[in-house]
Every structure is written in structure tokens, then in C-alpha cells.
Amino acid sequence: MASRIAELAALISSNTQKIDEYLASNSLPRPSFEEDGPVKLGLPAELEAARSATLNATAELEALLKTPDDLLRPILNGTSLEAISRYDMARKVPVGGTITFEELAEQCGLYEPDVRRIIRFAIVHHFIFREPSKGVVAHSAASRRLVDDQGARDGLGVMFDDCYQSFGRTVEAMEKYKGQEMAQTGWALSHNGMSLFETFGKVPAKAKRFAGSMAAFNASPMMSHKHIATNFPWETLGEATAVDLGGSHGELCAALAPTAPKMKFIVQELPRTVQSVNRDALPSAVAPQIEFMEHDFFTPQTVTAAVYIFRQIFHNWADSNVIKILRQLIPALQPGARILVHDLLLPEPGKLPLMMERQIRAMDMLMLSICNARERDEADWRQVFTEADPRFKVLRVFTPKGSALGLVDAVWERE
């Protein structure tokens, strides 16, 4: 019987060959670290699955071939990426050209040996930038992405110029506060005592960057609104009303409205968000179905509706606050009212491919550091609804095929 490392090596070889043959036969560019390397490979679904399997096998094989001591001492230093973001280094490197370390250091106002080590660390650990000849910096595909894409720059900045500092102070916050409030986090300790939302309220540039990062993240097909549009019977609700709590500028409601042309959708948001809404940005065909209303979901709900939607809301809050939010719905709830939660759903350990589970666990840890909140598994969701009020009955908890987010479908059953 072949060993596990031999099985993984064979899997990597087989799937890589399939991908390479497809790219060659379709005259598509091969993966490359060069500046003009492809941003996406454009693989069909079956070969995208092969790519995913290859990445999972590669990660497992690497871990198996390391020693336990290697695994206990991973290199998790984000300083290089923080500096690249903070000093906008990518846009100081000429596209299609080069720059010396000395010239780059001068443009950044930094000590040249520091720039040299920052860039060389990024090259060997992240394949960001290249050094085609000694002392000379050129773009890689990844650093070129930072030049071309504002969303990529925003994402790098949020993670390494905002969140990274929070990670190192999370355990300190846990020991100090022993609480679940948003101001009792690694984020707060690394941002002058301000919570995530307080920081964004007082530093508009950070809020803008975070919004840009989220827009880029949500552009993925796995984050598409279609997953909630096609996995709930909207078309059967007739002239009912749906309320999207914390629904921003109505993007979700605009995606749902075509599936239920007789329904009315109300987006509830804080005053500053409602006041910033540009109704002209809504698709004209569905704009008449969508209203905006000022509301804080920590206060009693005043709208009686058939459905109340929380999309990527509850993962920002600890259980105690989620329970408070759910209880604020009760004054308006009628028997049969549905509560739809569209949030990441934690899997059972070991049930998902390794790389997918890593991403989900990473998000769960991120929410601990920045919000004192968490992602939840099915049992967690059932418990939080029951604690809010036993009259909430959870009907379904599942992740639709192709979706990064799960759906929790609950109903209010008044006694």
C-alpha cells in the first residue's frame, strides 16, 4: 500500500497535469510569478475542483514533510506586508520597469537596508515583487495586482495596516477583560481603546478602505446574493414585506426584488447610512419596491413583516448581543414570520477540504480579534435562537452549493 505522502504526490502530479494540458490546449497563459502572470486561470468547474484538490494536497504534503518543531514555529510575520501597504510600495515600482532599493527607500523616506529586507521577505514568503538582478526590484504578478486594483490595495491595508496589530494583542485582551464586548478586543487595545466601529466613525479613511475591501471580497461568486435569492421561496410570499436589517445601500434587496415582484423590501440602517443612499444607483426596474428606513437593530422593531434578513450581521457580535438583537424583533413578530440569517457556517471539524476549512477558521479567529464575535456552527445557531426566545424555531441550517455563506432559516411560532 502506498504511503500517504506518495498518495498526495500522485494526486498533485495527476491534477497538475490535467490543468496544464487544459491551459495548453486552450492557448491560455500558464501560472507565473512574472509581472504579466494571469490573475485568474479561467478553469472550468471540474478543473477548478482539481486545482482545489491540488492545493489541499500540497498543504497536507508540506505539513507531513515538516518536523513537529517546524509546525510549532511557523513564520507569521506580517511586518513586510504592513510596510508595503503603508508606504504604497507597489505603485512606486515602475510597471514594466525596475527600481533600485536605494531609489525605493528614498521615495518611501525609509532606511535602505530596511526596505531591502522588507522586499526580500515579501519575495520569498509571498512572491510579491521580484529581484531580477541584485539590488533591483521589479513587479511580480501579485505586486502588479496592487498597482492595478484598488480592492487589492484596500484588502492588503485592512489586513496588515489594521487587523494585523490586533492579532498580537488578542490574548492580552482576553486576559484583561474576560468579556464579550466589542471594546474589549485586541483591536481596541491596538487602536487607542476604540472598537472597530468607533475607529471607522472617527477615521473616515479607514472606513473607506474597509468598505473597499469588503466590496472586493463580496464580488466573489461565492458571496453572490443569488445564494439567498434561490434558496428561499420568495415567489410564494405575494405582496408581503421583507426587512433587511443592516442592509447598507440596498444591494441585497435589489437582488431579491426580481424574484418577488409583488413584495416590498425595507432596508433598515443607521441614520448616517440612510442619508448617504443614492436611490438613482438602484436598478430602475426594482427601485419602486425598495424603501429605506432609519433604525437601530438594538431598539424595538416597529415593522411587521413576513421576513427579517440579517446578512453578515451577527458574525460581528457576541452571543449576548445577538440575543438582544433577536429579542428586539419580538414586538413586531406575527406567527409564521421568518428570520433569515446569511452568515458563515462553521463546519464539523475535518469535514471540508483543508484549505476551505482553514479560511473559515481564519475568519472565526479574525472576528475574535476585531469584534469579540464569532462564526457559528449549526448547534451554536440553534442555541442562540433558543436563548433569545423558545418561540423561535430553527427550520434549516445549511450552506448552499457554491456559496461561502450558510443560511439559517427560523420561524416565529407564538404560543
Side-chain angles (χ1 to χ4, degrees):
M1 178 181 292
S3 67
R4 181 58 177 164
I5 59 174
E7 289 177 352
L8 291 168
L11 178 65
I12 292 167
S13 176
S14 172
N15 282 327
T16 301
Q17 182 177 353
K18 293 176 185 176
I19 293 169
D20 190 54
E21 289 175 351
Y22 175 83
L23 295 174
S25 64
N26 289 275
S27 300
L28 294 172
R30 269 37 179 257
S32 168
F33 296 126
E34 297 297 315
E35 179 178 339
D36 59 355
V39 173
K40 295 183 179 180
L41 295 182
L43 300 174
E46 64 272 18
L47 288 182
E48 190 59 42
R51 186 181 78 92
S52 177
T54 302
L55 292 173
N56 289 313
T58 301
E60 184 181 347
L61 182 61
E62 179 186 19
L64 285 171
L65 293 178
K66 286 182 174 179
T67 68
D69 286 341
D70 292 333
L71 297 176
L72 290 170
R73 292 194 293 267
I75 298 173
L76 302 175
N77 192 327
T79 305
S80 173
L81 296 176
E82 181 184 2
I84 289 168
S85 173
R86 179 81 60 89
Y87 293 96
D88 200 12
M89 290 185 181
R91 290 198 288 179
K92 292 178 171 65
V93 176
V95 172
T98 60
I99 189 172
T100 66
F101 284 124
E102 185 175 358
E103 292 167 335
L104 183 57
E106 183 177 357
Q107 289 192 35
C108 294
L110 295 173
Y111 183 44
E112 188 271 343
D114 288 344
V115 170
R116 199 187 325 149
R117 70 175 115 190
I118 286 166
I119 295 296
R120 284 176 172 166
F121 184 97
I123 290 172
V124 299
H125 282 279
H126 308 297
F127 300 98
I128 298 176
F129 297 112
R130 294 180 300 115
E131 190 174 357
S133 59
K134 189 172 181 179
V136 173
V137 182
H139 278 296
S140 66
S143 63
R144 174 64 186 270
R145 182 73 170 157
L146 291 173
V147 175
D148 295 340
D149 191 83
Q150 179 66 51
R153 293 195 297 276
D154 288 338
L156 186 70
V158 166
M159 185 55 66
F160 291 99
D161 198 27
D162 285 331
C163 296
Y164 172 60
Q165 298 87 341
S166 308
F167 301 156
R169 305 199 70 179
T170 297
V171 174
E172 178 186 350
M174 294 167 68
E175 292 179 339
K176 179 177 180 178
Y177 298 115
K178 303 187 188 305
Q180 290 190 324
E181 295 305 313
M182 196 174 287
Q184 299 174 328
T185 56
W187 176 285
L189 288 179
S190 60
H191 289 81
N192 300 314
M194 295 185 294
S195 71
L196 178 82
F197 295 139
E198 288 172 338
T199 302
F200 293 157
K202 294 182 178 180
V203 189
K206 287 184 179 289
K208 180 180 179 181
R209 182 168 66 182
F210 184 81
S213 173
M214 290 299 97
F217 179 69
N218 286 326
S220 163
M222 295 184 71
M223 297 296 292
S224 172
H225 294 131
K226 75 176 183 180
H227 299 297
I228 190 171
T230 58
N231 284 279
F232 187 79
W234 301 102
E235 70 282 357
T236 67
L237 298 181
E239 297 181 357
T241 297
V243 177
D244 183 8
L245 293 94
S248 189
H249 291 79
E251 297 87 348
L252 174 58
C253 289
L256 296 178
T259 68
K262 295 181 180 180
M263 285 188 68
K264 179 171 73 173
F265 294 88
I266 299 175
V267 179
Q268 292 186 337
E269 263 291 0
L270 294 174
R272 64 176 180 271
T273 301
V274 173
Q275 292 162 14
S276 70
V277 169
N278 176 15
R279 289 196 60 88
D280 292 338
L282 293 171
S284 58
V286 299
Q289 291 177 254
I290 301 172
E291 299 178 7
F292 291 86
M293 175 183 176
E294 295 181 3
H295 179 71
D296 181 341
F297 48 56
F298 282 105
T299 63
Q301 180 59 252
T302 59
V303 177
T304 297
V307 186
Y308 299 87
I309 308 165
F310 295 90
R311 186 177 193 269
Q312 291 190 278
I313 299 296
F314 288 152
H315 80 149
N316 292 326
W317 300 98
D319 287 355
S320 57
N321 284 310
V322 173
I323 290 169
K324 290 177 184 177
I325 295 168
L326 287 172
R327 285 175 177 168
Q328 296 300 335
L329 295 176
I330 292 175
L333 293 177
Q334 295 293 318
R338 301 286 272 274
I339 296 86
L340 278 186
V341 178
H342 201 206
D343 248 331
L344 198 64
L345 181 62
L346 290 179
E348 290 297 312
K351 296 298 184 181
L352 289 181
L354 177 60
M355 299 302 287
M356 185 179 296
E357 184 168 355
R358 279 184 175 181
Q359 292 176 354
I360 293 173
R361 302 296 175 194
M363 181 62 75
D364 192 28
M365 288 297 293
L366 174 66
M367 300 317 295
L368 169 65
S369 294
I370 69 174
C371 290
N372 230 343
R374 65 188 183 117
E375 309 297 348
R376 297 170 175 87
D377 62 22
E378 179 173 351
D380 294 327
W381 283 115
R382 292 185 181 280
Q383 181 176 346
V384 81
F385 271 96
T386 298
E387 288 189 24
D389 194 296
R391 292 171 290 182
F392 286 116
K393 304 297 182 183
V394 175
L395 302 177
R396 300 182 297 165
V397 182
F398 69 105
T399 299
K401 184 178 180 180
S403 175
L405 302 179
L407 272 175
V408 181
D409 181 4
V411 64
W412 176 252
E413 294 182 348
R414 182 177 294 173
E415 294 176 350

